[in-house]
Amino acid sequence: MTRLLHISDLHFGAVNDRLPEALLALARALKPDAVIVSGDLTQRARPGQFRAAAAFLDRFGLPLLTVPGNHDIPLYNLPVRILSPLGRYRALVSDDTEPVLTLPGAVLAGVNTANPMVWKAGRLRAASARRLKMGFAAAAPGLLRIAVMHHAPVPAADGGPPDIADPAGVLGALVAARTDIVLSGHTHMPHFAAAETAAGILFLQVGTAISTRLKTRWNDVSLVTAGGDRVTVQPYLTRGANRFEPGPVQQFRRRDGSWELADDPGDLAAQ
Ligand SMILES: [Fe+2]
C-alpha cells in the first residue's frame, strides 16, 4: 500500500501562523511515503512567499511532489505573468512543474494546469496531456497511476462547476493516459464527503491546509492509502483548534473498472 499525505493551497502570504507546525507534527506522526502538494503554494507568487513555502516543505524531510496553482502565477504583475508566469516557482521551488515520482505501488505524475491568460481557471495543455500519457505508459505495470493537478475536471464539493477549460476533454485525456486516481485542490473545499467517480477515475480533493482563506469552517489535509483496487481516505481537520484531528474515513474499491464508495468498512474487510 502507498501512503500519501495530500495537502494543498498553502497560500504562503496568507497562512494561519499556528498551523504549519501542526501540519509538520501530523506528518511526523503519520510517516507517509510522500507529501503531495496540489498547488497554490503562495498567495501572490512573491519571491519571499515562495522561499517560505520551499523552506516549509523542506522540513517534512520526505519525498515530495508539487505542482503549481493559479496563485503561483503573479496576478497583478502583467509583464512577469505573461513573459515568465512560473519563473519564480521554477527558481525557488522546483524547475520541474510536471514531476514524476515513483513509489512502491504507485507512480505519481504532476500536471501543470495553471493558466496565465485567464489566471483563475485552469487548462490542460496538449503537451501536458502527452507527457502524462507517456509518463504513465513508461511506468511498470501494476503500479497505480496517480495524477496530481491543481484544477480538476469535476464539480466542487458544493456542486460548483469544474474550474478548468473543456472539462470533458480533460477527463478524456486522463482516461487516455489510463489514470486511476486524481489528487487536486483549488476549491478550498474538501471532497471526501462527495468524491466523484467518473470514467473509472477516483477524484480526491482537499481544501486549504494552512491558509486563512477558508471556504469551510476548517483547514484540512488527507492521508490517502492506496493499493490495487482499494483506496482509503483519512481526512484530518483542524476543527477550529491548532491541531489536525482525524475526520470520517472513506473507503473506495474498484469493481469492473469503476470506483465505488464502500459504505460499510466491514464489507471491504470481508473480501
Ligand atoms: Fe487556492
Side-chain angles (χ1 to χ4, degrees):
M1 302 295 267
T2 307
R3 298 170 73 250
L4 306 169
L5 181 59
H6 179 200
I7 70 177
S8 197
D9 296 80
L10 310 180
H11 288 276
F12 272 88
V15 159
N16 177 340
D17 290 336
R18 293 167 297 187
L19 293 182
E21 294 302 323
L23 184 51
L24 289 166
L26 179 70
R28 279 194 294 274
L30 296 177
K31 297 183 174 60
D33 298 315
V35 178
I36 310 303
V37 191
S38 50
D40 279 3
L41 280 64
T42 68
Q43 175 63 11
R44 283 285 167 248
R46 298 198 172 113
Q49 295 172 356
F50 279 122
R51 283 190 201 98
F56 172 69
L57 294 174
D58 196 44
R59 291 184 62 199
F60 282 96
L62 290 164
L64 198 66
L65 184 147
T66 68
V67 294
N70 50 297
H71 276 262
D72 300 319
I73 289 175
L75 175 59
Y76 301 117
N77 189 333
L78 279 180
V80 175
R81 179 170 147 197
I82 300 304
L83 295 174
S84 182
L86 287 169
R88 292 169 178 171
Y89 179 97
R90 290 179 192 278
L92 299 168
V93 176
S94 171
D95 62 1
D96 189 352
T97 59
E98 298 191 323
V100 173
L101 176 65
T102 303
L103 299 168
V107 57
L108 293 100
V111 181
N112 169 21
T113 56
N115 181 3
M117 304 313 288
V118 180
W119 191 73
K120 181 171 176 286
R123 68 166 171 168
L124 178 67
R125 296 163 187 78
S128 297
R130 283 195 299 274
R131 189 173 299 127
L132 180 72
K133 191 173 180 181
M134 285 169 46
F136 281 168
L143 296 182
L144 273 172
R145 269 88 171 138
I146 303 175
V148 182
M149 53 207 300
H150 186 60
H151 309 79
V154 291
D158 65 355
D163 199 16
I164 189 167
D166 186 17
V170 176
L171 185 57
L174 291 167
V175 171
R178 306 181 72 86
T179 307
D180 296 307
I181 300 170
V182 171
L183 303 180
S184 66
H186 184 58
T187 66
H188 292 213
M189 288 178 276
H191 220 325
F192 56 85
E196 287 93 5
T197 61
I201 301 173
L202 179 60
F203 288 90
L204 300 175
Q205 205 162 87
V206 288
T208 172
I210 55 173
S211 88
T212 56
R213 296 173 56 88
L214 294 177
K215 286 191 182 164
T216 67
R217 292 164 58 196
W218 306 311
N219 294 88
D220 71 281
V221 300
S222 281
L223 181 71
V224 177
T225 303
D229 294 326
R230 306 288 169 88
V231 174
T232 300
V233 183
Q234 169 66 75
Y236 289 87
L237 314 167
T238 55
R239 296 190 192 279
N242 298 325
R243 62 181 182 275
F244 289 88
E245 297 177 349
V249 174
Q250 289 209 332
Q251 293 182 297
F252 299 87
R253 66 185 156 200
R254 185 165 48 186
R255 271 191 189 151
D256 302 325
S258 291
W259 292 99
E260 59 187 39
L261 184 62
D263 292 326
D264 177 6
D267 187 22
L268 273 178
Q271 294 180 33

